[in-house]
Amino acid sequence: RVLAECRGEVEFDDVHFSYNPGHPVLRGVTFRAGAGQRVALVGHSGSGKSTIISLVPRFWDVASGAVRVDGHDVRELTTASLRGKIAMVLQDPIHFSGTIRDNILYGRPEASDEQVLEACRQANALDFIKALPGGFETEVGERGTFLSGGQKQRLTIARAFLRDPRILILDEATSALDAETERLITESLDRLMANGTTIIIAHRVSTVVNADKILVLHQGLISESGTHAELMERGGLYRGLYTKQHGGDK
């Protein structure tokens, strides 16, 4: 089935998953991200956050239960039409040997020059690209060797803008950057998240305090769910994570 139109609603229904038999990674995960919502995933390393974002575009399939987009089980959709509605901005950005233009166009190969320029403006990438000796024709090197961390992320975000996704998946993209670069990337991500549903892996709890819903994962289960204020009031695992990172400041 082709997913022609997409509102961006994502639903996990009693999802179980294991990479190796007998070692469950997700154990009955159920949640819904409504169209246009921002849903954050927090929890210790190994709790299942990365697995959840891998199941939405079908990098893996569930062992049992279902992942649905707009009510359709993703296993019933063509891979091309499903992934065509999704963009990912990961902590370790992916780039290929070729020019800056090539790497941005990977998000939408048929895009016009003006569409590429606008995507770069939205991603706060245009100024640094124009300052390069070759501009858009600058070779980036395998895995973006010739670019800084912040430049790589802004190219990845430009690629996502060009894709105009209904579902955006973020693996916190601002770690290990200087303050000014982090500000530019945060600004561009805020614009990008306004266009659809966003699922965010949060390593720093402070980056998701404004999410519509925060899911706290622990050993493959959702142990808590709510807004930042609700979870802080509850005094459970989320409050412990936040307090550990920020000294109790709400």
Side-chain angles (χ1 to χ4, degrees):
R1 181 179 303 176
V2 172
L3 184 63
E5 299 295 328
C6 182
R7 301 186 308 278
E9 179 181 297
V10 177
E11 181 187 6
F12 276 57
D13 182 4
D14 194 25
V15 168
H16 292 252
F17 178 83
S18 299
Y19 294 102
N20 300 300
H23 296 85
V25 178
L26 299 179
R27 300 183 293 146
V29 168
T30 296
F31 72 88
R32 178 180 171 275
Q37 281 193 323
R38 298 184 187 187
V39 175
L41 309 175
V42 304
H44 294 297
S45 178
S47 59
K49 303 185 298 297
S50 295
T51 299
I52 285 176
I53 66 169
S54 296
L55 293 175
V56 179
R58 282 196 70 198
F59 296 156
W60 303 88
D61 275 336
V62 301
S64 64
V67 177
R68 301 187 183 95
V69 170
D70 287 359
H72 304 294
D73 190 316
V74 294
R75 293 169 292 188
E76 298 174 356
L77 299 171
T78 65
T79 304
S81 69
L82 171 65
R83 295 181 183 171
K85 305 299 188 295
I86 299 170
M88 304 181 79
V89 179
L90 305 178
Q91 192 174 18
D92 184 16
I94 298 170
H95 296 288
F96 310 95
S97 182
T99 66
I100 282 180
R101 186 186 304 276
D102 293 336
N103 273 274
I104 296 172
L105 280 171
Y106 188 77
R108 188 176 162 199
E110 74 281 6
S112 67
D113 288 348
E114 182 50 47
Q115 287 170 327
V116 170
L117 284 171
E118 181 58 26
C120 291
R121 288 190 194 99
Q122 293 292 331
N124 286 332
L126 194 55
D127 288 346
F128 93 77
I129 293 172
K130 287 184 172 180
L132 295 171
F136 280 91
E137 307 314 315
T138 301
E139 292 283 337
V140 302
E142 191 69 37
R143 296 183 62 83
T145 304
F146 305 133
L147 300 173
S148 70
Q151 290 170 338
K152 291 178 189 179
Q153 282 296 21
R154 280 179 278 176
L155 286 191
T156 305
I157 295 167
R159 184 191 295 161
F161 268 110
L162 199 60
R163 201 169 185 80
D164 190 24
R166 299 279 67 79
I167 299 169
L168 176 65
I169 295 173
L170 300 178
D171 185 354
E172 195 165 313
T174 58
S175 59
L177 299 174
D178 63 81
E180 176 60 16
T181 302
E182 181 173 358
R183 182 187 66 79
L184 290 171
I185 289 175
T186 300
E187 282 181 2
S188 60
L189 287 175
D190 283 343
R191 287 194 286 268
L192 184 57
M193 286 189 286
N195 296 337
T197 306
T198 307
I199 300 175
I200 312 164
I201 287 182
H203 304 285
R204 292 178 296 174
V205 179
S206 61
T207 62
V208 294
V209 294
N210 294 320
D212 296 300
K213 185 185 301 180
I214 299 169
L215 308 177
V216 184
L217 280 108
H218 181 64
Q219 297 181 347
L221 296 165
I222 295 177
S223 64
E224 299 171 14
S225 174
T227 64
H228 170 74
E230 289 168 348
L231 293 174
M232 289 296 286
E233 185 68 26
R234 216 166 287 164
L237 181 58
Y238 178 85
R239 179 166 184 152
L241 287 169
Y242 190 90
T243 302
K244 184 175 180 181
Q245 293 180 9
H246 303 285
D249 181 14
K250 295 185 182 182

